[in-house]
Amino acid sequence: MLIPKSLAVIVKDVQVKNIFLKDMTKTEIAKAFSNGEFEKTNNLISDNAEWIVIEEDRCIGKQAILDNCEQVGNYFKSVTTNFKTLNIITDGNKVVINGTAEFLRDNKRISFVSACDVYEFNEKSEIQKITSYCIQH
Protein backbone atom coordinates (compact mmCIF):
# COMPACT_ATOMS: atom_id res chain seq x y z
CA MET A 1 0.00 0.00 0.00
CA LEU A 2 1.30 3.44 -0.91
CA ILE A 3 1.21 6.15 1.73
CA PRO A 4 0.59 9.70 0.49
CA LYS A 5 3.72 11.82 0.81
CA SER A 6 2.04 14.30 3.18
CA LEU A 7 0.99 11.46 5.51
CA ALA A 8 4.47 9.94 5.36
CA VAL A 9 5.94 13.28 6.48
CA ILE A 10 3.50 13.39 9.41
CA VAL A 11 4.31 9.80 10.40
CA LYS A 12 8.04 10.49 10.17
CA ASP A 13 7.62 13.69 12.22
CA VAL A 14 5.73 11.78 14.94
CA GLN A 15 8.40 9.06 14.95
CA VAL A 16 11.17 11.66 15.28
CA LYS A 17 9.29 13.39 18.11
CA ASN A 18 8.79 10.08 19.91
CA ILE A 19 12.49 9.26 19.60
CA PHE A 20 13.42 12.75 20.84
CA LEU A 21 11.01 12.54 23.76
CA LYS A 22 12.27 9.11 24.83
CA ASP A 23 15.80 10.52 24.86
CA MET A 24 14.94 13.32 27.29
CA THR A 25 16.74 13.16 30.61
CA LYS A 26 14.79 13.10 33.86
CA THR A 27 15.87 16.69 34.45
CA GLU A 28 14.62 17.76 31.00
CA ILE A 29 11.31 15.97 31.56
CA ALA A 30 10.82 17.61 34.96
CA LYS A 31 11.77 21.06 33.68
CA ALA A 32 9.39 20.77 30.71
CA PHE A 33 6.52 19.76 33.00
CA SER A 34 7.30 22.52 35.53
CA ASN A 35 7.34 25.07 32.70
CA GLY A 36 3.96 23.97 31.38
CA GLU A 37 5.34 22.21 28.29
CA PHE A 38 3.04 19.29 28.97
CA GLU A 39 2.92 18.01 25.38
CA LYS A 40 6.60 17.09 25.71
CA THR A 41 5.88 14.91 28.75
CA ASN A 42 2.52 13.26 27.94
CA ASN A 43 4.14 10.00 26.84
CA LEU A 44 6.54 10.02 29.77
CA ILE A 45 4.00 9.72 32.59
CA SER A 46 3.40 6.33 34.20
CA ASP A 47 -0.13 4.92 33.88
CA ASN A 48 -0.50 4.85 37.68
CA ALA A 49 1.27 8.17 38.35
CA GLU A 50 0.12 10.63 40.99
CA TRP A 51 0.28 14.44 41.08
CA ILE A 52 -0.32 16.14 44.40
CA VAL A 53 -0.56 19.92 44.62
CA ILE A 54 -0.34 20.49 48.36
CA GLU A 55 -3.57 21.90 49.84
CA GLU A 56 -5.10 22.26 46.36
CA ASP A 57 -5.51 19.14 44.24
CA ARG A 58 -4.66 15.49 43.74
CA CYS A 59 -4.68 13.64 40.42
CA ILE A 60 -4.37 9.87 40.45
CA GLY A 61 -3.59 8.06 37.21
CA LYS A 62 -2.13 9.21 33.92
CA GLN A 63 -5.47 10.24 32.41
CA ALA A 64 -6.37 12.42 35.42
CA ILE A 65 -2.96 14.10 35.17
CA LEU A 66 -3.35 14.64 31.41
CA ASP A 67 -6.83 16.11 31.93
CA ASN A 68 -5.46 18.51 34.53
CA CYS A 69 -2.55 19.42 32.24
CA GLU A 70 -5.04 20.25 29.49
CA GLN A 71 -7.00 22.52 31.83
CA VAL A 72 -3.83 24.25 33.10
CA GLY A 73 -2.50 24.52 29.54
CA ASN A 74 -5.71 26.25 28.44
CA TYR A 75 -5.24 28.78 31.23
CA PHE A 76 -1.60 29.32 30.17
CA LYS A 77 -2.83 30.06 26.62
CA SER A 78 -5.16 32.76 27.99
CA VAL A 79 -2.33 34.72 29.67
CA THR A 80 1.27 35.67 29.09
CA THR A 81 3.52 33.45 31.19
CA ASN A 82 6.99 34.13 32.51
CA PHE A 83 8.55 31.04 34.09
CA LYS A 84 11.92 31.26 35.83
CA THR A 85 13.77 28.19 37.04
CA LEU A 86 15.86 29.05 40.09
CA ASN A 87 17.27 25.67 41.16
CA ILE A 88 17.35 22.09 39.96
CA ILE A 89 18.49 19.31 42.29
CA THR A 90 18.81 15.70 41.15
CA ASP A 91 19.41 12.56 43.18
CA GLY A 92 18.94 9.13 41.63
CA ASN A 93 15.32 8.81 40.52
CA LYS A 94 14.32 12.22 41.94
CA VAL A 95 14.43 15.72 40.47
CA VAL A 96 13.45 18.84 42.40
CA ILE A 97 12.78 22.12 40.63
CA ASN A 98 11.98 25.42 42.24
CA GLY A 99 11.17 28.63 40.50
CA THR A 100 8.62 31.33 39.89
CA ALA A 101 5.76 31.90 37.50
CA GLU A 102 4.37 35.28 36.60
CA PHE A 103 1.04 35.52 34.77
CA LEU A 104 0.13 38.67 32.85
CA ARG A 105 -2.95 39.83 31.00
CA ASP A 106 -2.88 43.10 29.05
CA ASN A 107 0.63 43.69 30.48
CA LYS A 108 -0.74 43.64 34.04
CA ARG A 109 0.30 41.04 36.58
CA ILE A 110 -2.66 38.91 37.59
CA SER A 111 -0.72 36.31 39.55
CA PHE A 112 2.76 35.48 40.82
CA VAL A 113 3.63 32.03 42.17
CA SER A 114 6.72 30.64 43.86
CA ALA A 115 6.81 26.88 43.37
CA CYS A 116 8.75 23.74 44.16
CA ASP A 117 8.03 20.51 42.28
CA VAL A 118 9.39 17.18 43.50
CA TYR A 119 9.48 14.52 40.76
CA GLU A 120 9.92 10.80 41.34
CA PHE A 121 10.64 8.56 38.36
CA ASN A 122 10.12 4.82 37.94
CA GLU A 123 12.57 2.29 36.47
CA LYS A 124 11.43 3.24 32.92
CA SER A 125 12.33 6.91 33.60
CA GLU A 126 8.64 7.81 33.54
CA ILE A 127 7.13 10.28 35.98
CA GLN A 128 5.69 8.23 38.83
CA LYS A 129 4.85 10.97 41.32
CA ILE A 130 4.88 14.77 41.43
CA THR A 131 4.47 16.73 44.62
CA SER A 132 3.99 20.45 44.01
CA TYR A 133 4.25 23.20 46.59
CA CYS A 134 2.88 26.53 45.35
CA ILE A 135 2.74 29.86 47.14
CA GLN A 136 0.73 32.60 45.49
CA HIS A 137 1.88 36.15 46.20
Side-chain angles (χ1 to χ4, degrees), residues 1-133:
M1 179 169 104
L2 291 174
I3 299 174
K5 188 174 183 177
S6 59
L7 183 57
V9 169
I10 292 170
V11 169
K12 184 176 182 180
D13 187 45
V14 169
Q15 290 171 340
V16 168
K17 284 180 182 175
N18 284 339
I19 290 168
F20 171 73
L21 294 178
K22 286 293 184 186
D23 288 340
M24 290 175 70
T25 67
K26 292 172 188 165
T27 300
E28 291 169 333
I29 295 165
K31 189 170 182 183
F33 195 95
S34 287
N35 287 330
E37 298 172 1
F38 303 122
E39 69 283 351
K40 290 183 178 180
T41 65
N42 287 348
N43 293 328
L44 302 169
I45 299 171
S46 171
D47 288 338
N48 61 347
E50 181 179 22
W51 182 13
I52 301 166
V53 181
I54 301 299
E55 294 192 17
E56 283 186 37
D57 202 3
R58 183 176 185 182
C59 301
I60 299 174
K62 181 176 184 172
Q63 191 57 54
I65 292 170
L66 294 178
D67 291 345
N68 195 49
C69 288
E70 182 177 356
Q71 183 179 357
V72 171
N74 287 337
Y75 172 73
F76 288 168
K77 290 176 188 171
S78 75
V79 296
T80 300
T81 58
N82 182 15
F83 294 105
K84 289 188 180 168
T85 300
L86 302 175
N87 296 289
I88 300 175
I89 301 168
T90 60
D91 183 28
N93 71 329
K94 295 180 179 71
V95 177
V96 179
I97 296 183
N98 86 295
T100 60
E102 181 179 35
F103 303 98
L104 306 164
R105 185 171 286 128
D106 299 323
N107 291 323
K108 294 180 185 173
R109 180 187 282 183
I110 57 174
S111 182
F112 187 84
V113 176
S114 294
C116 180
D117 297 318
V118 180
Y119 294 87
E120 297 178 42
F121 291 84
N122 64 20
E123 66 283 348
K124 297 179 190 174
S125 294
E126 297 171 323
I127 296 172
Q128 188 62 52
K129 184 176 183 181
I130 308 166
T131 305
S132 297
Y133 302 85

